[in-house]
Amino acid sequence: MKKNAFTFAEVLLVMTIVAIIAVLTFKVQKSQNDYLNKYMYYSAFTNLKDGVGELVAKGNDSGAKE
């Protein structure tokens, strides 16, 4: 009589491999998100700095009455 079933050890081995792959995937995804957040903050700050610099460079030439 031949049984077509997995042993408990085989199931645990497969679950362990899947868990390791999941942990590695989440770590890579987190590091990518951290990089993107840093880039977005840097980009936003740079744009703000450039905009303020342009306003300061214009001075009172903007045509506003005092």
Side-chain angles (χ1 to χ4, degrees):
M1 184 184 271
K2 186 175 181 183
K3 294 183 180 180
N4 291 331
F6 295 108
T7 64
F8 185 65
E10 291 171 332
V11 172
L12 283 179
L13 179 65
V14 170
M15 288 177 59
T16 303
I17 292 170
V18 169
I20 290 171
I21 291 171
V23 167
L24 293 175
T25 302
F26 289 133
K27 283 187 177 184
V28 167
Q29 187 177 15
K30 184 181 180 321
S31 67
Q32 286 177 344
N33 286 341
D34 289 346
Y35 173 76
L36 289 176
N37 285 341
K38 287 178 185 176
Y39 175 75
M40 287 187 336
Y41 290 139
Y42 174 78
S43 177
F45 178 75
T46 303
N47 289 339
L48 180 64
K49 183 181 74 167
D50 292 345
V52 170
E54 288 177 17
L55 288 175
V56 169
K58 283 184 180 179
N60 288 332
D61 294 336
S62 62
K65 295 182 181 178
E66 293 183 13

